[in-house]
Amino acid sequence: MKSHTEYLTFNTEKRREYINITDEVETALEKSGIKEGIVMVGAMHITASVYINDAESGLIQDIDEWLDSLAPCGKDYRHHRTGEDNGDAHLKNLLLHHQVIIPVTDGKLDFGPWQQVYYAEFDGRRRKRVIIKIIGE
Amino acid sequence: MKSHTEYLTFNTEKRREYINITDEVETALEKSGIKEGIVMVGAMHITASVYINDAESGLIQDIDEWLDSLAPCGKDYRHHRTGEDNGDAHLKNLLLHHQVIIPVTDGKLDFGPWQQVYYAEFDGRRRKRVIIKIIGE
Amino acid sequence: MKSHTEYLTFNTEKRREYINITDEVETALEKSGIKEGIVMVGAMHITASVYINDAESGLIQDIDEWLDSLAPCGKDYRHHRTGEDNGDAHLKNLLLHHQVIIPVTDGKLDFGPWQQVYYAEFDGRRRKRVIIKIIGE
């Protein structure tokens, strides 16, 4: 079994941002030389997510509004008694999840026609990391 | 390390449908000959999900109504300005997730007593695919 | 490829409980001797979850209230016609998900600074199990 590990770093300008990282994942896969296996892509933080969906700007705004309707910012969360103000970002992370697993076949991400990998930042304007872990042969 | 890849194809009659695919996943595992490892089962589309829960018809209706209460169809999503009408199906995909990972022990899906694998279609009546990727030994 | 499998058992006093299992996962990883690979940690039940987030007691209460606002207990679910009363626990399981995948690098869980693994029980006061499956080399 071979394995390959990479870390991406983000420091977004806005508090919430959605960044297409499909190219970075593909580049890591090429570097790994792995032809059959899986890629795990995961946020290393509890206020950010990695998800797979469409690269359509209207939909990304829909997703952002929908997440904020189900896990609203500005609420008086108990977590804020610690001095934090990001309770909503923790809940958004749980809703979208922090990780995806992508199958690798013939050295490629084995994706359907519209699948793209996104990093979703919910508490940005500081240094955050994503891990890409590839295992296979 | 061994690996095995299969694709299932669906073309549902209804727009939303929930299909038990546990037997198909077990058959793929038998064909693979893999005794220890993991199975990844994932929708290759961004308007469908794969999840693990109970094979109880009342519960499946509960799940369908619950998904539609949290990510309602018929809303005026920004995504619809592209000509699409399936904004809710994208959000339902994000809520349920598109994939599961199942552990394999002694050549069997290492499941608890009630775990069953389901394909959840949110924008059907057309050809959609699921990937089954098994890695192990 | 090496693999290692362990099962944790829970029998909570309360119906809903959130238990930090990071130490148990780290101990399983040490026992496995695996240095590079992945760990899958998953509830073997459809009324419990495994998730990764912060070990902060206020936040855990926020998560519990939030889950119950989106998937309320006490509702008249169709699933209850079978004699069960845990429809909400099934929906909470779907919302939080039953499993996580953790990357392993240099023999350690490759986590960011605040990531902790939690078992979330939604229908406790009986024997439930979690599987830890580690594959790698």
Side-chain angles (χ1 to χ4, degrees):
Chain A
M1 200 202 75
K2 282 161 79 171
S3 76
H4 180 82
T5 312
E6 285 200 25
Y7 306 91
L8 307 178
T9 304
F10 301 92
N11 195 332
T12 61
E13 275 178 45
K14 285 182 283 177
R15 185 148 189 183
R16 298 212 302 269
E17 253 177 66
Y18 302 84
I19 300 164
N20 191 331
I21 59 171
T22 315
D23 286 352
E24 284 81 351
V25 177
E26 283 174 344
T27 302
L29 179 57
E30 277 168 40
K31 268 199 264 177
S32 76
I34 287 170
K35 299 297 179 198
E36 288 291 323
I38 57 168
V39 183
M40 182 272 185
V41 188
M44 301 181 78
H45 301 263
I46 51 192
T47 54
S49 291
V50 171
Y51 72 90
I52 289 173
N53 213 292
D54 202 353
E56 198 277 296
S57 60
L59 180 70
I60 290 169
Q61 261 189 282
D62 289 329
I63 292 170
D64 183 65
E65 285 177 19
W66 175 71
L67 288 171
D68 205 55
S69 73
L70 294 182
C73 65
K75 264 189 68 174
D76 181 28
Y77 294 104
R78 277 192 187 76
H79 184 50
H80 295 178
R81 297 180 195 166
T82 63
E84 293 282 355
D85 66 349
N86 60 3
D88 71 295
H90 289 270
L91 303 182
K92 288 177 173 94
N93 153 288
L94 293 173
L95 199 51
L96 267 204
H97 280 260
H98 74 287
Q99 79 195 353
V100 295
I101 304 293
I102 308 164
V104 175
T105 307
D106 293 336
K108 304 278 181 203
L109 302 179
D110 201 341
F111 266 162
W114 303 101
Q115 290 183 299
Q116 299 277 308
V117 192
Y118 271 82
Y119 173 68
E121 175 62 79
F122 304 127
D123 188 22
R125 298 186 290 214
R126 49 178 159 165
R127 194 173 167 274
K128 307 279 277 269
R129 287 194 307 157
V130 160
I131 183 167
I132 303 174
K133 187 98 196 179
I134 311 172
I135 62 171
E137 242 158 44
Chain B
M1 200 202 75
K2 282 161 78 171
S3 76
H4 180 82
T5 312
E6 286 199 23
Y7 306 91
L8 308 177
T9 303
F10 301 91
N11 195 333
T12 61
E13 276 179 44
K14 286 182 283 177
R15 186 150 187 181
R16 297 212 302 269
E17 252 177 66
Y18 302 83
I19 300 164
N20 192 331
I21 59 172
T22 315
D23 286 352
E24 285 81 352
V25 177
E26 283 175 344
T27 302
L29 178 57
E30 277 168 39
K31 268 198 264 178
S32 76
I34 288 171
K35 299 296 179 199
E36 288 291 325
I38 57 168
V39 183
M40 182 271 184
V41 188
M44 301 180 79
H45 301 264
I46 52 191
T47 54
S49 291
V50 172
Y51 72 90
I52 290 173
N53 214 293
D54 201 354
E56 197 278 296
S57 61
L59 180 71
I60 290 168
Q61 261 188 282
D62 290 328
I63 292 170
D64 184 64
E65 285 176 19
W66 175 70
L67 288 171
D68 205 54
S69 73
L70 294 183
C73 66
K75 263 190 68 174
D76 182 28
Y77 294 104
R78 277 192 186 77
H79 183 50
H80 296 176
R81 297 180 195 166
T82 63
E84 293 282 356
D85 66 350
N86 60 3
D88 72 296
H90 288 270
L91 302 182
K92 288 177 173 92
N93 153 288
L94 293 173
L95 199 51
L96 268 203
H97 278 259
H98 74 287
Q99 77 193 357
V100 295
I101 304 293
I102 309 164
V104 175
T105 307
D106 292 336
K108 303 278 182 203
L109 303 179
D110 201 340
F111 267 162
W114 302 101
Q115 290 184 298
Q116 298 278 307
V117 192
Y118 270 82
Y119 174 68
E121 176 63 80
F122 304 127
D123 189 23
R125 297 184 293 214
R126 48 177 158 165
R127 193 174 167 273
K128 306 279 277 270
R129 287 195 306 157
V130 160
I131 183 166
I132 302 173
K133 187 99 197 178
I134 311 171
I135 63 172
E137 241 158 43
Chain C
M1 200 201 75
K2 282 161 78 172
S3 75
H4 181 82
T5 312
E6 286 199 24
Y7 306 90
L8 308 178
T9 303
F10 302 91
N11 196 333
T12 61
E13 274 178 44
K14 285 182 283 178
R15 186 148 189 182
R16 298 212 300 270
E17 253 177 66
Y18 301 84
I19 299 164
N20 191 331
I21 59 172
T22 314
D23 286 351
E24 284 81 352
V25 177
E26 282 174 345
T27 302
L29 178 57
E30 276 167 41
K31 269 199 264 178
S32 78
I34 286 170
K35 300 296 179 197
E36 289 291 322
I38 57 169
V39 183
M40 182 271 186
V41 188
M44 301 181 78
H45 300 264
I46 53 191
T47 55
S49 291
V50 172
Y51 72 91
I52 289 173
N53 213 292
D54 201 355
E56 197 278 296
S57 61
L59 181 70
I60 291 169
Q61 260 189 285
D62 289 328
I63 291 170
D64 183 64
E65 285 177 19
W66 175 71
L67 288 170
D68 204 55
S69 73
L70 293 183
C73 66
K75 265 190 68 174
D76 182 28
Y77 294 104
R78 277 191 186 77
H79 184 49
H80 296 175
R81 296 179 196 167
T82 63
E84 293 282 355
D85 66 350
N86 60 2
D88 71 297
H90 288 270
L91 303 183
K92 288 177 173 91
N93 154 286
L94 293 173
L95 199 51
L96 268 204
H97 280 260
H98 74 289
Q99 78 195 354
V100 295
I101 304 293
I102 308 165
V104 175
T105 307
D106 293 336
K108 304 278 182 202
L109 303 179
D110 202 341
F111 266 162
W114 303 101
Q115 291 184 298
Q116 298 278 307
V117 192
Y118 270 82
Y119 173 68
E121 175 63 79
F122 304 126
D123 189 22
R125 297 184 292 212
R126 46 179 159 165
R127 194 174 166 274
K128 307 278 278 269
R129 286 196 306 157
V130 160
I131 183 168
I132 302 173
K133 187 99 196 176
I134 310 171
I135 63 171
E137 240 157 44

